[in-house]
Amino acid sequence: LLGALSFNGQRCTAIKIIFAHERIAGEFTGRLAEAVDGLKAGMPWEEGVAVTPLPEDGKCNYLSELVEDAVDKGAKLANRWGGDVEGTLFFPAVVSGVRQGMRVWEEEQFGPVVPVAAFSDVREPLSYISDSAYGQQVALFGTDPGKMAGLIDPLVNQVCRVNLNSQC
């Protein structure tokens, strides 16, 4: 949550896409969506606010286009308030079922859109990273040291930094 949405996701190291194994993707996305919907929106000087207005003209329109494109191509908006716009405030959207061919798969959104893609074979996210024009960092989360080590080796040649069980 923090890795994707701190500073409204408008930082170069914000998590721009999440890959979750298909075995846990549904539960993971549900819990993420619930946590996102629990975030307080408002002005940055207000107590407890986590989601604030965006500083760029047209940013809300751009983010709305990304979400609409994904939904039109079969993805689902996973959280209740996702993508709601009020002036320059865009409430974070958790988008599940993201796949190749969707703009949010191809474009770095630099905003509060959290795409979640399910995978069955670990080669799928590795291929995504290898083929991507982006990739300063990756955050790996897991508990099996052998599996984690098997991911670190190919990833160190694709990104500048590999974070283990911690946000970028």
Side-chain angles (χ1 to χ4, degrees):
L1 183 67
L2 203 56
L5 294 175
S6 62
F7 301 100
N8 283 332
Q10 292 194 298
R11 59 187 180 100
C12 61
T13 58
I15 295 172
K16 302 294 193 286
I17 189 166
I18 296 173
F19 286 90
H21 192 276
E22 64 186 11
R23 190 178 68 248
I24 64 162
E27 179 183 351
F28 173 84
T29 303
R31 291 173 65 182
L32 177 63
E34 184 178 325
V36 168
D37 275 343
L39 296 174
K40 182 179 177 182
M43 298 308 287
W45 52 81
E46 295 174 16
E47 186 72 31
V49 167
V51 179
T52 60
L54 298 169
E56 293 176 65
D57 286 339
K59 189 66 169 196
C60 290
N61 289 339
Y62 170 70
L63 297 172
S64 293
E65 289 172 8
L66 290 179
V67 172
E68 289 170 20
D69 175 74
V71 170
D72 288 348
K73 293 176 180 169
K76 302 230 182 300
L77 191 55
N79 60 320
R80 182 176 181 184
W81 309 113
D84 281 359
V85 175
E86 180 67 40
T88 59
L89 186 123
F90 182 95
F91 197 82
V94 177
V95 184
S96 65
V98 171
R99 57 181 162 64
Q100 190 170 9
M102 297 176 180
R103 287 179 59 196
V104 75
W105 177 275
E106 305 292 336
E107 300 175 27
E108 282 193 316
Q109 69 276 18
F110 283 100
V113 174
V114 186
V116 180
F119 71 92
S120 59
D121 185 320
V122 74
R123 290 177 291 196
E124 295 169 52
L126 290 175
S127 177
Y128 171 87
I129 293 167
S130 177
D131 295 341
S132 176
Y134 313 107
Q136 293 183 4
Q137 296 189 46
V138 66
L140 294 175
F141 294 88
T143 56
D144 184 318
K147 288 181 181 176
M148 296 289 277
L151 293 171
I152 294 168
D153 288 342
L155 287 171
V156 296
N157 295 311
Q158 299 298 323
V159 296
C160 297
R161 181 182 172 111
V162 176
N163 300 280
L164 300 176
N165 292 323
S166 66
Q167 74 183 51
C168 294

